[in-house]
Amino acid sequence: MDNAGVATTPQRVREHPVQAGDLRLSVRDHEGTEPAVVGLHGLASNARWWDLVASHLAPRRLVSIDQRGHGLSDKPDAGYDFDSVTADARSVIRALALGPVVAAGHSWGASVALWWAAADPEGVRAVVCVDGGIGDLRGFFGASWDVAEKAMRPPRLDGITASRLHGWVDASGLAGDGDVAEAVRILSGNFEEVAPGQLQPRLHVDRHMQIARELYHLDTPSLLARVTQPVLLVVAVNDQTRAVRQSAADEALSLLPRGSEAVLVDGIHDLPVQRPAEVAAAMTAFFARAGL
């Protein structure tokens, strides 16, 4: 049983590379029934971000992808625009012969999932956006890219240690009421060991900033209006942000097709790790209403 008292189903998880066009992308394939959910992680994250949600979704199949530049996947110097990363996901789906899927994304991955759905209405049956895909980065980071570029540049994290990762998990509440060691394992997928006990991010800063620029310049209202499939918005809130986040969700829903809905979850941005049972419950109810 998990901390919320909801039973999870043991799943076999197979991590392996898939040839996606010119790239080899690593996937974590949680076995189960179809239509499969394809999990897309956020910027500077990795495919493990969906592990806990997959356990609660079982027996539904969930295939999470280390997107290009991240995790164990190939790391080209270019191709971090939405067309390219969407093509990557579609290539993975073809290689695995999955057929039509549910595209689920967290943070940046939510925008990728929406872009994919708009470009491939036959291949994507529905979309799940977990704390992403809505909002206005220009209003948050600055009115010009010159200003936003400085605010969106990640800090230098070379030479960090496993004990520091553990400290981050403790300080951020990433584990929620769950297993801190498991949250550390998930977070560690963002890093690689470069010397004994010394870690560095797998995503190079130049590639990070290519994605940040794409996100900053994304016309989110236009993208939402192009999506024809039902969309579930799972939005992280707290007492201070609830009203403004509800308003943002309502605005997004006004642009989305019938059958779309929003669920607010008390927690931090990284809901798939902190609140996996709540995320999975919202997805399961949405799938039932959508006939998936």
Side-chain angles (χ1 to χ4, degrees), residues 23-209:
L23 301 181
R24 283 167 65 85
L25 300 180
S26 181
V27 304
R28 293 178 62 79
D29 191 345
H30 304 255
E31 66 181 6
T33 60
E34 299 183 353
V37 175
V38 177
L40 303 169
H41 60 73
L43 175 58
S45 188
N46 74 94
R48 298 180 190 179
W49 231 249
W50 289 96
D51 281 4
L52 303 181
V53 173
S55 295
H56 290 283
L57 281 179
R60 174 85 60 168
R61 186 178 185 181
L62 189 150
V63 178
S64 55
I65 304 172
D66 278 329
Q67 299 194 76
R68 66 168 62 201
H70 296 76
L72 301 177
S73 290
D74 285 350
K75 298 170 176 60
D77 289 332
Y80 295 91
D81 57 283
F82 282 105
D83 283 336
S84 295
V85 295
T86 296
D88 291 345
R90 296 175 73 175
S91 293
V92 168
I93 298 321
R94 285 194 296 270
L96 297 178
L98 287 181
V101 299
V102 175
H106 170 244
S107 195
W108 165 56
S111 295
V112 177
L114 289 166
W115 193 280
W116 180 8
D120 185 18
E122 299 302 317
V124 176
R125 297 183 63 176
V127 181
V128 177
C129 297
V130 182
D131 218 46
I134 62 176
D136 176 22
L137 290 186
R138 292 185 184 91
F140 188 81
F141 286 109
S144 73
W145 174 243
D146 288 341
V147 173
E149 183 178 18
K150 298 178 178 63
M152 297 179 76
R153 182 171 292 274
R156 288 189 60 87
L157 298 175
D158 297 348
I160 66 171
T161 63
S163 63
R164 188 172 173 191
L165 293 187
H166 197 288
W168 286 348
V169 169
D170 279 338
S172 67
L174 180 64
D177 296 324
D179 186 351
V180 171
E182 179 69 355
V184 171
R185 180 193 67 81
I186 292 168
L187 178 62
S188 68
N190 297 348
F191 301 89
E192 60 185 347
E193 189 172 57
V194 292
Q198 301 293 307
L199 307 174
Q200 72 176 19
R202 292 183 183 273
L203 179 66
H204 191 277
V205 65
D206 289 345
R207 298 159 192 161
H208 184 119
M209 293 311 297

Side-chain angles (χ1 to χ4, degrees), residues 229-263:
Q229 305 91 321
V231 177
L232 169 65
L233 306 174
V234 183
V235 184
V237 298
N238 57 40
D239 290 342
Q240 289 71 44
T241 63
R242 189 177 306 275
V244 67
R245 298 290 280 159
Q246 179 70 69
S247 177
D250 290 343
E251 183 175 349
L253 288 173
S254 73
L255 300 169
L256 290 168
R258 175 180 293 184
S260 299
E261 56 191 79
V263 175

